[in-house]
Amino acid sequence: MERNYILFHNYSNGLELESFLKKNGIKYTISPTPRKLSTSCGISIIYKKEDEEAIKRIIEENKIDIKGFYKI
């Protein structure tokens, strides 16, 4: 089963995006970042692929710094 992850440069950016996702009713799960993806920030957000465009819009509108979108 594929999972979609958003990775962050730091913990604060992850919490900032979480706040906006919650306000917009987008379902997500906070998860430890899988080692195969990164060792930088310890948290990532797992999201549903169908929400990706809405999440990208939230990130852009609110200038949230992310490391990127990843799938494993």
Side-chain angles (χ1 to χ4, degrees):
M1 177 167 118
E2 284 186 344
R3 288 196 175 186
N4 299 292
Y5 290 86
I6 303 170
L7 274 59
F8 305 93
H9 296 284
N10 62 56
Y11 189 80
S12 298
N13 296 129
L15 294 180
E16 183 180 16
L17 180 57
E18 178 195 19
S19 172
F20 285 107
L21 295 179
K22 194 178 290 185
K23 285 180 191 174
N24 286 277
I26 296 174
K27 293 187 187 266
Y28 62 91
T29 302
I30 294 204
S31 169
T33 301
R35 286 183 190 252
K36 67 177 9 177
L37 292 178
S38 176
T39 57
S40 58
C41 177
I43 69 161
S44 59
I45 288 180
I46 300 173
Y47 66 95
K48 293 182 179 179
K49 183 68 175 170
E50 61 262 21
D51 293 326
E52 188 167 288
E53 290 306 313
I55 294 170
K56 285 181 178 179
R57 189 175 60 253
I58 289 168
I59 289 168
E60 186 176 318
E61 288 173 357
N62 296 286
K63 297 175 176 54
I64 300 169
D65 187 26
I66 66 165
K67 192 168 189 177
F69 289 82
Y70 298 86
K71 184 186 329 180
I72 58 171

